[in-house]
Amino acid sequence: MDPNDVEMRRRTVLRSVPMGAAALALGAVTHEGVAAAAGRPSPEDLREALGHKVLFPGDKRYDEERAAFNTLVQHHPKAIVLAESSQDVETAVRIVAALGWPIAVQATGHGIGLPADGALLINMRKLNGVSVDPRAGTARVQGGAKWGDVVAAAAPLGLAPPAGTTSHVGATGYMSGGGVSFIGRAYGYAADRVRAVELVTPDGRRRHLSPHDEPGLFWAVRGGKSNFGAITSFDIDLLPKSHVYAGELTFPVESAAEVFTAYVAWTATVSDEMTSLVSFTRYPDTPEVPPQQRGKLVLGIKVVHIGARADADRELRPLRAQRPITDSVAEVPIARMDTVFQGPTEPGAIVSSSGLIRRLDARGTEALLRAVGPDAELSPGSVEIRQLGGRFAHRPATPNAIGHRDALFALFFANPAPTPDRVEPLEREQRALLARVGPLLTGGRLPNFLGTEDTTPAAVSSGYEPADWERLLRIKRSVDPRNLFRINHNIR
Ligand SMILES: Cc1cc2nc3c(=O)[nH]c(=O)nc-3n(C[C@H](O)[C@H](O)[C@H](O)COP(=O)(O)OP(=O)(O)OC[C@H]3O[C@@H](n4cnc5c(N)ncnc54)[C@H](O)[C@@H]3O)c2cc1C
């Protein structure tokens, strides 16, 4: 959208706004000054400044706009702002900061931490523009865009973004928690290749962050999620790739143990052009599941190779020697990567937890197999082990808050909870499983894989290296001393 149009619309809205709300929206005076000059700020200031973009409980679209992809957590915010521009975000933050309400930011609700009860929920989903600069090989991504929006803009130009296993995930939430992409061993974390960020901080100021502008805050937002404010856009490098060689090899339960052992050994031999993950998927015994998978365990290895097909085939030879029952590895256009990973597309309640593994020797591989392999009695769901290393292991030239780079594998458990009464038992099962594999884990985690159970300070701090955590706390104290942005995996 033309910035002049945005400014014009904002002025139109503000013409009909009472003194207090207009002053807050424009940032013309301090919050205390407004409170004194125009009486106490009121929630109605939001409606007056932002009109139809504000929803209160009882408004027609309130329930629709508070919904999240992960239905495990239900938000009951005091108000929702459906932001359409960076200015809307600034206006909302200024008014709500004066009210002292906590603030939550949501694009899709895939990575929910806490319910936004009694808070302002800034729903970013309409702020989803993407522009690609094909010459520079970069994209500017607005704060509510999904990876699918970025793929749609970049793929026709022969460029690939560092998306993850589903294009339905929000690009900003993912990037600001690291971002383990399907090209990650060649590219690094998504956060590693960000050139600039536009952030609305809790004082309602829109700031431009880059290696040269506010470098401390630039470091912190690439890892610290919404703890420092709402990201309204970021600029990121794309990879000059229109196709990759990708797909899945699946194996029957009978050979799962042998194949898993072979997979772990294989990861030590492959080039950084190869990114892969292995998963044990237990399908429920229900009629919606195709008969060949119903009630069964399947071991799947998903691979993405960004180099020449001959090199990929050579690297895949040891896995293919394990006699997969299916092998879908083929040239895949970037726009069709969702077909490789087949992530969930419909909202539902997903219980998840995670850990990091530094390395897996023969004993570790056996222990992991005992815990999650064919003989383990686990509920329907998936246990995913992603290979890290490669560029994931290198801190980027302009460092960020993503650490734990010595881990070679990321472990992730996800169980759908078909009914609310299954949530607690599944959480218990995952806790027991984590305890069982505890000796293999580093104790660290990746911010993106923190679940709804991981909201305590101890759990959130495990997403960072200890020295980085201390630095994040210092920056948080100076940027958000009242911890307004606390409806998240909170740095406090
Ligand atoms: C099915 C599935 C597949 C996934 N695959 C991968 C994967 O391959 N690789 C990977 O790294 N992660 C993956 N994730 C994790 C995912 O990256 C995180 O959950 C991420 O936070 C989701 O962001 P979102 O915007 O979609 O979710 P939301 O729930 O909308 O946001 C989650 C959090 O991100 C922050 N956030 C979102 N938008 C903004 C913004 N504009 N400004 C500031 N903060 C913001 C907020 O703290 C918010 O609480 C996956 C998750 C799911 C459910």
Side-chain angles (χ1 to χ4, degrees), residues 104-116:
V105 187
Q106 176 168 298
T108 71
H110 274 78
I112 231 158
L114 293 168

PDB file of all heavy atoms in Angstrom, residues 104-116:
ATOM      1  N   ALA A 104      -0.692  -8.729  23.605  1.00  0.00           N
ATOM      2  CA  ALA A 104      -0.327  -9.977  22.911  1.00  0.00           C
ATOM      3  C   ALA A 104      -0.281  -9.698  21.412  1.00  0.00           C
ATOM      4  O   ALA A 104      -1.025  -8.860  20.917  1.00  0.00           O
ATOM      5  CB  ALA A 104      -1.379 -11.047  23.196  1.00  0.00           C
ATOM      6  N   VAL A 105       0.619 -10.407  20.714  1.00  0.00           N
ATOM      7  CA  VAL A 105       0.709 -10.256  19.256  1.00  0.00           C
ATOM      8  C   VAL A 105       0.473 -11.624  18.641  1.00  0.00           C
ATOM      9  O   VAL A 105       1.107 -12.598  19.044  1.00  0.00           O
ATOM     10  CB  VAL A 105       2.119  -9.759  18.830  1.00  0.00           C
ATOM     11  CG1 VAL A 105       2.139  -9.445  17.345  1.00  0.00           C
ATOM     12  CG2 VAL A 105       2.544  -8.558  19.642  1.00  0.00           C
ATOM     13  N   GLN A 106      -0.438 -11.678  17.701  1.00  0.00           N
ATOM     14  CA  GLN A 106      -0.698 -12.968  17.045  1.00  0.00           C
ATOM     15  C   GLN A 106      -0.833 -12.787  15.543  1.00  0.00           C
ATOM     16  O   GLN A 106      -1.483 -11.852  15.080  1.00  0.00           O
ATOM     17  CB  GLN A 106      -1.996 -13.581  17.594  1.00  0.00           C
ATOM     18  CG  GLN A 106      -2.373 -14.884  16.887  1.00  0.00           C
ATOM     19  CD  GLN A 106      -3.475 -15.648  17.597  1.00  0.00           C
ATOM     20  OE1 GLN A 106      -3.308 -16.077  18.752  1.00  0.00           O
ATOM     21  NE2 GLN A 106      -4.605 -15.828  16.941  1.00  0.00           N
ATOM     22  N   ALA A 107      -0.203 -13.719  14.805  1.00  0.00           N
ATOM     23  CA  ALA A 107      -0.393 -13.733  13.354  1.00  0.00           C
ATOM     24  C   ALA A 107      -1.308 -14.890  12.967  1.00  0.00           C
ATOM     25  O   ALA A 107      -2.298 -14.712  12.257  1.00  0.00           O
ATOM     26  CB  ALA A 107       0.945 -13.853  12.651  1.00  0.00           C
ATOM     27  N   THR A 108      -0.985 -16.098  13.487  1.00  0.00           N
ATOM     28  CA  THR A 108      -1.780 -17.285  13.138  1.00  0.00           C
ATOM     29  C   THR A 108      -2.238 -18.083  14.360  1.00  0.00           C
ATOM     30  O   THR A 108      -3.183 -18.853  14.266  1.00  0.00           O
ATOM     31  CB  THR A 108      -0.954 -18.275  12.278  1.00  0.00           C
ATOM     32  OG1 THR A 108       0.046 -18.869  13.124  1.00  0.00           O
ATOM     33  CG2 THR A 108      -0.302 -17.596  11.090  1.00  0.00           C
ATOM     34  N   GLY A 109      -1.489 -17.956  15.469  1.00  0.00           N
ATOM     35  CA  GLY A 109      -1.794 -18.775  16.643  1.00  0.00           C
ATOM     36  C   GLY A 109      -1.175 -20.170  16.583  1.00  0.00           C
ATOM     37  O   GLY A 109      -1.609 -21.071  17.286  1.00  0.00           O
ATOM     38  N   HIS A 110      -0.123 -20.347  15.773  1.00  0.00           N
ATOM     39  CA  HIS A 110       0.591 -21.632  15.762  1.00  0.00           C
ATOM     40  C   HIS A 110       1.515 -21.765  16.973  1.00  0.00           C
ATOM     41  O   HIS A 110       1.853 -22.870  17.379  1.00  0.00           O
ATOM     42  CB  HIS A 110       1.476 -21.758  14.508  1.00  0.00           C
ATOM     43  CG  HIS A 110       0.782 -22.292  13.304  1.00  0.00           C
ATOM     44  ND1 HIS A 110      -0.045 -21.525  12.531  1.00  0.00           N
ATOM     45  CD2 HIS A 110       0.793 -23.522  12.721  1.00  0.00           C
ATOM     46  CE1 HIS A 110      -0.506 -22.256  11.527  1.00  0.00           C
ATOM     47  NE2 HIS A 110      -0.018 -23.477  11.617  1.00  0.00           N
ATOM     48  N   GLY A 111       1.957 -20.618  17.507  1.00  0.00           N
ATOM     49  CA  GLY A 111       3.017 -20.701  18.515  1.00  0.00           C
ATOM     50  C   GLY A 111       2.621 -20.066  19.823  1.00  0.00           C
ATOM     51  O   GLY A 111       3.442 -19.472  20.523  1.00  0.00           O
ATOM     52  N   ILE A 112       1.391 -20.252  20.168  1.00  0.00           N
ATOM     53  CA  ILE A 112       0.812 -19.611  21.329  1.00  0.00           C
ATOM     54  C   ILE A 112       1.544 -20.003  22.612  1.00  0.00           C
ATOM     55  O   ILE A 112       1.962 -21.159  22.765  1.00  0.00           O
ATOM     56  CB  ILE A 112      -0.650 -20.068  21.359  1.00  0.00           C
ATOM     57  CG1 ILE A 112      -1.554 -18.906  21.487  1.00  0.00           C
ATOM     58  CG2 ILE A 112      -0.924 -21.107  22.347  1.00  0.00           C
ATOM     59  CD1 ILE A 112      -2.928 -19.240  20.998  1.00  0.00           C
ATOM     60  N   GLY A 113       1.711 -19.045  23.524  1.00  0.00           N
ATOM     61  CA  GLY A 113       2.284 -19.361  24.825  1.00  0.00           C
ATOM     62  C   GLY A 113       1.200 -19.302  25.874  1.00  0.00           C
ATOM     63  O   GLY A 113       0.870 -20.295  26.521  1.00  0.00           O
ATOM     64  N   LEU A 114       0.601 -18.122  26.029  1.00  0.00           N
ATOM     65  CA  LEU A 114      -0.400 -17.891  27.074  1.00  0.00           C
ATOM     66  C   LEU A 114      -1.680 -17.338  26.456  1.00  0.00           C
ATOM     67  O   LEU A 114      -1.631 -16.721  25.391  1.00  0.00           O
ATOM     68  CB  LEU A 114       0.126 -16.835  28.050  1.00  0.00           C
ATOM     69  CG  LEU A 114       1.335 -17.215  28.897  1.00  0.00           C
ATOM     70  CD1 LEU A 114       1.891 -15.972  29.584  1.00  0.00           C
ATOM     71  CD2 LEU A 114       0.958 -18.267  29.927  1.00  0.00           C
ATOM     72  N   PRO A 115      -2.808 -17.497  27.157  1.00  0.00           N
ATOM     73  CA  PRO A 115      -4.025 -16.858  26.650  1.00  0.00           C
ATOM     74  C   PRO A 115      -3.950 -15.342  26.842  1.00  0.00           C
ATOM     75  O   PRO A 115      -3.425 -14.874  27.854  1.00  0.00           O
ATOM     76  CB  PRO A 115      -5.126 -17.464  27.527  1.00  0.00           C
ATOM     77  CG  PRO A 115      -4.438 -17.937  28.762  1.00  0.00           C
ATOM     78  CD  PRO A 115      -3.021 -18.277  28.380  1.00  0.00           C
ATOM     79  N   ALA A 116      -4.486 -14.594  25.888  1.00  0.00           N
ATOM     80  CA  ALA A 116      -4.429 -13.120  25.962  1.00  0.00           C
ATOM     81  C   ALA A 116      -5.595 -12.585  26.786  1.00  0.00           C
ATOM     82  O   ALA A 116      -6.265 -11.629  26.393  1.00  0.00           O
ATOM     83  CB  ALA A 116      -4.446 -12.542  24.545  1.00  0.00           C
TER      84      ALA A 116
END
